[in-house]
Amino acid sequence: MNSPVGIDAAAFAGPHACLDLADLAAARGVDPDKFVLGLGQRRMAIASPCEDTVTLAVDAGRRALAAFDIDPAEIGTLIVGTETGVDHSKPVAVYVHELLGLDARCRTFETKHACYGAMAGLTASMDWIAAGRARGRKALVIASDIARYGLGTPGEPTQGAGAVALVVADRPRLLTVDPATIGDYTRQVMDFWRPLYSKVAFADGHYSIQCYLDALVGARADAVGEGAALLDELAACLYHVPFVKMAKKAHQRHLEIERGAPLDRDSDADRQALAASLSSRVEPWLTLNAEIGNIYTGSLFLSLIDLLRQAAERFSGRTVSLFSYGSGCGATFCLGEITGTAAQWASALDPSEDLARRYRLNIEDYERLVRDGEQADTAESLDPTSYGLSDGLFYVGTVDHQRRYVESRAER
Ligand code: HMG
């Protein structure tokens, strides 16, 4: 029998600044409750022009390798899932490969399918290990994205930025994923897209919610069969989180799939059943997403980090469901089991100190970052200190059509 495969290490990294959604609401003349209660979001991470998909991915990758004591030489596959690539041809992954100091004998590529790219990378890595190609090595899958919608559009409060790095290995320390329970779904839909000429995404927002829910029904049916009852055995249900309310809508649909009928909004019993299931299986693991916003490919895995940092000990040996959705659309539903060792890593996984240190932008600063960001790919010279950045790896401009990255350390 093959040894179990799954997630051996994980880490989140995000930009240095954030915008409070109450401030955005005030600037747009919207009731703040619409963003905070209606969408479920408190803040969103905002990247400066010097923080891009590469720098975020490298930061997350370094954190995962260091916190879990993994030698870069152990990595035999590197996959970066992103829909915010920095070049039409050259993959983000190959910059990351160099900056993480990985071995040349490493399969390295980028996956793109809206928010689904990292889940595609996770399952491809599991297949690589199961096929015997890994020869004892591990795969590094990094989800890295910057979510951008136009100023003043309905999508604007659902932006965010960040990266989640996952190390995939056999006998993993955090979560095993049962390959027999992986179900997939694909359908060509125009719910959200970003044409080659645009920095910002376009969305048919309400339709995209419907597409997401249809994909949940389809991928879950492929994973466990249409009529299967699952929820009673699940300790937690994790979903792709473009905004917190979306995960709650998904869970309601999950309940409805199981009972084979829609919940009745006017029934106290139905409302209570939904509230109880949400509060035990879903809501506690959405706190990081509420603070960071949509990080596209990484958002499901950010919710997983939230769960592991809070409940790995309580849920040791228990099963959780994971649902990844990428617009366009592609989806995967699968089941994972929290390992007996996961609780040892709860504090290593916790990004709350970094989040507390973030700089809170005012609306003028935020709009300046957006405007500067539009020019960043063609700027010859960018100064990280002009965005209050001192420590870290930064994008500093494009010279001779080549992107430049610099490691910078603050004088102490
Ligand atoms: P909208 O149309 O401006 O908002 O944009 P709305 O009118 O639908 O209101 C949102 C919620 O707030 C509603 O709650 C309102 O009732 C409530 P619901 O009925 O849905 O439960 N509300 C209030 N609550 C309290 N106090 C108030 C108040 N006012 C309203 N005063 C929309 C919403 C999501 C459409 C927009 O933000 C958008 O277009 N976002 C981008 C698209 C998106 O996130 N889609 C999600 C599914 S697709 C996906 O997940 C893939 C994605 O991640 C991309 C990828 O795959 O790469 C996006």
Side-chain angles (χ1 to χ4, degrees), residues 338-397:
I338 307 221
T339 64
T341 50
Q344 296 167 26
W345 305 95
S347 61
L349 287 162
D350 191 349
S352 45
E353 282 180 17
D354 288 328
L355 295 181
R357 273 197 296 269
R358 288 184 302 178
Y359 174 70
R360 183 174 158 179
L361 298 164
N362 62 33
I363 202 78
E364 291 76 26
D365 291 338
Y366 155 67
E367 292 187 357
R368 177 173 79 99
L369 289 188
V370 172
R371 277 194 307 275
D372 289 1
E374 283 161 8
Q375 313 303 324
D377 289 335
T378 48
E380 288 212 338
S381 173
L382 292 168
D383 177 8
T385 60
S386 69
Y387 299 106
L389 303 172
S390 49
D391 270 317
L393 171 76
F394 299 114
Y395 165 66
V396 293

Side-chain angles (χ1 to χ4, degrees), residues 31 33-34 38 83 114-115 154 205-206 208 240 242 245 249 294 327:
D31 180 350
D33 282 351
K34 175 173 177 182
E83 60 182 283
C115 298
H206 291 277
S208 72
H240 169 54
K245 175 75 87 59
K249 288 178 191 285
N294 193 357
S327 280

Side-chain angles (χ1 to χ4, degrees), residues 79 157 175 200 340 354 398:
I79 305 173
L175 184 89
V200 296
D354 288 328
T398 292

Side-chain angles (χ1 to χ4, degrees), residues 275-305:
S277 192
L278 280 170
S279 66
S280 62
R281 294 192 179 89
V282 182
E283 284 165 346
W285 340 120
L286 296 171
T287 63
L288 295 176
N289 298 84
E291 283 290 322
I292 293 162
N294 193 357
I295 58 167
Y296 287 160
T297 45
S299 89
L300 164 68
F301 303 106
L302 186 59
S303 186
L304 173 64
I305 286 176

Side-chain angles (χ1 to χ4, degrees), residues 3 46 77 100 126 137 158 166 195 200 216 265 303 307 318 324 331 344 356 358 407 412:
S3 53
I46 303 292
T77 279
L100 289 180
M126 289 177 55
R137 293 170 300 169
T158 64
L166 306 171
V200 296
L216 171 64
R265 281 169 184 265
S303 186
L307 177 140
R318 299 281 314 273
S324 167
Q344 296 167 26
R358 288 184 302 178
E407 300 277 359
R412 289 183 214 281

